[in-house]
Amino acid sequence: MDISRTGDVWWKNAIFYCLDVEIFQDGNGDGIGDFAGLTRRIDYLAGLGVTCIWLMPFYPTAHQDDGYDITDYYGVDRRLGTLGDLAVFLRTARDRGIRVIADLVVNHTSDQHPWFLSACEDRTSPYRDWYVWRDEIPPGGSDDLVFPDEENSNWEWHEGTGQYYLHRFYRHQPDLNISNPHVRDEIRKIVGFWLQLGLSGFRVDAVPFLLETRGLDTPVETDFHDWLRDLRSFIVRRCGDALLLGEVNLPYQDVRPFYGDEGGGELNMCLDFNMNQALALALVREDAGALVHCLRAMPRLHVDDGWAHFARNHDEWSLDKLTEAERQDVFRAFGPKEDMQLFGRGLRRRIPTMLKGNDDHIRLVYSLVFALPGAPVLFYGEEIGMAENLDIPGRMSVRSPMQWSDGPNGGFSTAPADDVFRPVVSGPKWGPKAVNVAAQEHEPDSMLNWMERLIRRRREMPEVAFGQWSFIPFPDAAIFALRYDWEDRTVLLLHNLGKRPCKTECKLDGADAFDGMTAILGDGGFEIVKDGTMSIELPAFGTLWLRANAAV
């Protein structure tokens, strides 16, 4: 691929930054983040090197599931500002070279949405078939619960009309009936509306649930993958370089169909939950085997499609793909107490606390994520090493207010502490007095400044996004080493997952074509002799990124 084409598929080499407007920056002092506050922080994100902001739901909501229970797909929740405030934000971001995508949550609505309220009036409502209804709960109605701590069935009885409705998530989030062509048409209108206002695409929530036929009692004539392909075609017609980033938490072989056939045509990217869980196991065992196995299993994609890799997302750190023994290993290391775990399958902590504040270990994690074949995704606050707040219930523990300074409320809001939307992380080690943006901006070796360097180096390395990857066969199990070749360029990304320094060597193919190597990130020593043998020496939890110098 010619480097001039890389801008056409910008998502492959993007730096994504996920944030929730209501906990990022309060602009009017009412204790809730808003678009006015976020706009004031655009220059911070631009300086960090972010190229695409991913907004969690900002639409009008019934406030029962952190915005994912939507009551109007065509507006902005009044607590966060107005459509005018959003337009100012989008224009400011674009001026700084930052694209913006937003959550597209159309597998369900709030039970307070006007569509559902109409559907509940009587069975003849024009919106009745926008949802899935049954006279009796079908077999398996209590299987595969998403939130087993709060729900015991995927069906809820509606007394007024005498039927059950389907909800694959919470009972207050009835599922939309994707087999209804009117629903599909409405989804097209929704995405068209937001693209027209300036979004560059969408992170599509719970894609497998959106396309599933579970609960439908009549034959489905539509191939929903064809519909997804048609939706992408519509989006491309409206905005030629728009992105569809999917949440598809399935084994690799089941993720691949959501990209489309070998020619692509459906989702452009998927969040890589398989690699994320392999990362957890590799870190705990200090052994690269899980990452190697996962990379070998990764499906091949169309040249314009890609993966999105993350260390910590906005939800639980799900470990559902691991065996029970593997999961317990991770629990013991990263979340030994019951209140650190969730649903028996995941963790509700952030990276710094799981790694006990070890800076080298924490930085290793992000170097690994940025080195994987795909685009990295940061969750707000990761760049400064923010911790979770376990006093906030459930999955929300990782969604505490951003820590901007050591002032009241961590600089998030000027409101009285009791009026702040969600409590700030407390304590002398992880609270704003110890962890904040303002202090780290003036510390050359801070997590923030290191992250800025990591992002800059990754953006200067399109080989990772567009090149061919291969393993570098060092014999030490703690070493995870990848090589990327793209056109006439080669980079080597080396990592020591172990707590002990490591010295090892291997034969490097094609080394005679290089005129030495240049270190561009990390610490450690290296040497390549004439026969192609490469020796490396890495410190504990060390990283070393190298670029091959082309022979003249």
Side-chain angles (χ1 to χ4, degrees):
M1 176 184 288
D2 188 286
I3 196 167
S4 64
R5 286 189 56 207
T6 60
D8 298 333
V9 283
W10 58 267
W11 50 83
K12 289 175 67 73
N13 201 42
I15 306 296
F16 293 93
Y17 188 95
C18 174
L19 64 88
D20 189 347
V21 177
E22 64 188 1
I23 50 176
F24 199 65
Q25 180 68 73
D26 175 11
N28 61 8
D30 66 353
I32 301 171
D34 47 43
F35 278 108
L38 173 57
T39 302
R40 294 211 310 264
R41 295 297 185 178
I42 285 291
D43 288 327
Y44 164 77
L45 296 174
L48 183 60
V50 170
T51 65
C52 183
I53 295 172
W54 157 16
L55 296 177
M56 292 170 65
F58 55 81
Y59 318 99
T61 171
H63 308 300
Q64 292 182 280
D65 186 22
D66 202 28
Y68 285 88
D69 51 327
I70 296 169
T71 59
D72 179 7
Y73 287 101
Y74 297 99
V76 172
D77 191 276
R78 60 184 179 83
R79 303 171 310 143
L80 311 182
T82 66
L83 274 175
D85 294 325
L86 172 61
V88 171
F89 159 69
L90 291 173
R91 183 174 178 82
T92 307
R94 185 182 303 114
D95 177 69
R96 305 308 196 267
I98 300 176
R99 291 177 170 88
V100 180
I101 65 173
D103 268 340
L104 180 67
V105 187
V106 288
N107 57 300
H108 60 245
T109 70
S110 166
D111 62 2
Q112 299 304 304
H113 195 291
W115 301 339
F116 190 69
L117 295 177
S118 175
C120 291
E121 289 177 358
D122 60 64
R123 296 193 187 190
T124 64
S125 165
Y127 290 100
R128 185 70 177 182
D129 290 338
W130 285 47
Y131 298 89
V132 181
W133 301 88
R134 296 290 290 268
D135 291 327
E136 297 180 355
I137 296 178
S142 299
D143 297 342
D144 193 22
L145 298 175
V146 177
F147 300 120
D149 62 327
E150 295 193 33
E151 302 293 343
N152 55 25
S153 174
N154 289 309
W155 295 86
E156 180 72 9
W157 176 253
H158 183 256
E159 186 66 34
T161 55
Q163 282 187 311
Y164 294 92
Y165 63 85
L166 177 66
H167 62 91
R168 293 292 269 116
F169 289 80
Y170 295 111
R171 67 190 66 187
H172 59 76
Q173 293 170 330
D175 277 24
L176 283 165
N177 179 7
I178 195 65
S179 70
N180 186 328
H182 297 297
V183 172
R184 300 197 297 271
D185 287 346
E186 191 69 29
I187 292 172
R188 179 181 296 193
K189 292 176 185 177
I190 292 166
V191 299
F193 175 83
W194 291 109
L195 290 174
Q196 194 70 30
L197 263 65
L199 290 185
S200 293
F202 304 91
R203 176 266 191 184
V204 189
D205 187 60
V207 184
F209 295 112
L210 173 62
L211 300 192
E212 75 174 2
T213 60
R214 180 173 179 168
L216 299 176
D217 60 354
T218 57
V220 178
E221 299 179 359
T222 301
D223 184 321
F224 293 147
H225 282 281
D226 285 344
W227 170 74
L228 185 57
R229 189 176 293 109
D230 181 70
L231 182 64
R232 176 166 162 183
S233 296
F234 169 78
I235 288 172
V236 169
R237 291 196 301 274
R238 289 292 180 92
C239 180
D241 62 352
L243 167 67
L244 283 180
L245 166 62
E247 180 193 26
V248 186
N249 185 9
L250 296 172
Y252 273 140
Q253 67 270 21
D254 297 322
V255 176
R256 182 62 183 84
F258 289 89
Y259 284 97
D261 56 21
E262 293 301 318
E266 295 185 39
L267 298 174
N268 305 92
M269 301 187 81
C270 286
L271 292 158
D272 196 342
F273 290 90
N274 291 277
M275 189 66 71
N276 182 246
Q277 299 186 37
L279 173 66
L281 189 61
L283 292 171
V284 166
R285 295 184 171 178
E286 299 181 20
D287 187 320
L291 291 170
V292 171
H293 175 77
C294 198
L295 269 172
R296 285 176 172 158
M298 179 184 285
R300 296 182 66 87
L301 304 177
H302 183 271
V303 66
D304 290 344
D305 296 338
W307 297 98
H309 298 293
F310 56 96
R312 193 64 180 88
N313 64 356
H314 64 284
D315 244 320
E316 64 177 291
W317 188 340
S318 178
L319 304 170
D320 63 318
K321 304 291 183 298
L322 302 182
T323 67
E324 184 59 31
E326 292 169 340
R327 187 160 44 249
Q328 292 304 320
D329 283 349
V330 176
F331 280 166
R332 279 191 291 272
F334 289 167
K337 297 180 180 178
E338 188 173 342
D339 71 337
M340 299 174 177
Q341 303 168 15
L342 204 59
F343 310 135
R345 68 185 182 214
L347 292 162
R348 50 190 296 262
R349 309 186 75 195
R350 282 184 177 244
I351 299 294
T353 52
M354 287 190 283
L355 300 183
K356 300 177 175 60
N358 184 314
D359 285 343
D360 292 334
H361 208 178
I362 295 166
R363 296 178 187 193
L364 168 71
V365 171
Y366 292 100
S367 180
L368 283 166
V369 169
F370 276 60
L372 292 167
V377 181
L378 289 172
F379 187 42
Y380 82 97
E382 287 190 292
E383 73 274 18
I384 59 171
M386 266 183 63
E388 75 283 352
N389 185 347
L390 293 176
D391 291 335
I392 303 173
R395 298 170 297 145
M396 305 303 160
S397 61
V398 298
R399 306 183 199 175
S400 57
M402 180 66 178
Q403 297 169 198
W404 294 105
S405 72
D406 62 0
N409 304 317
F412 163 72
S413 175
T414 59
D418 290 344
D419 293 340
V420 173
F421 174 67
R422 207 170 276 152
V424 178
V425 173
S426 61
K429 185 171 184 179
W430 301 111
K433 294 290 184 183
V435 180
N436 69 77
V437 171
Q440 292 193 25
E441 285 180 328
H442 299 289
E443 298 172 4
D445 295 327
S446 68
M447 181 69 181
L448 177 60
N449 281 306
W450 179 85
M451 185 68 76
E452 185 179 329
R453 290 194 296 274
L454 176 68
I455 290 172
R456 184 168 62 249
R457 296 307 184 211
R458 175 60 184 78
R459 286 287 291 168
E460 295 169 350
M461 197 178 286
E463 295 92 337
V464 179
F466 301 103
Q468 179 65 45
W469 65 267
S470 58
F471 295 114
I472 306 173
F474 289 106
D476 194 312
I479 299 297
F480 180 67
L482 288 176
R483 169 177 174 165
Y484 290 91
D485 294 284
W486 184 54
E487 298 182 340
D488 59 349
R489 303 157 67 150
T490 298
V491 294
L492 313 180
L493 309 182
L494 317 175
H495 301 85
N496 177 14
L497 276 65
K499 66 171 74 69
R500 296 180 178 83
C502 176
K503 186 174 183 179
T504 185
E505 65 180 31
C506 74
K507 201 70 170 285
L508 186 65
D509 292 340
D512 55 346
F514 306 146
D515 184 19
M517 294 272 178
T518 299
I520 58 177
L521 184 76
D523 299 310
F526 65 95
E527 182 182 13
I528 301 178
V529 297
K530 289 184 178 180
D531 70 351
T533 298
M534 181 177 189
S535 301
I536 62 169
E537 190 168 356
L538 294 177
F541 305 131
T543 69
L544 184 61
W545 289 18
L546 304 171
R547 183 181 296 284
N549 304 323
V552 179

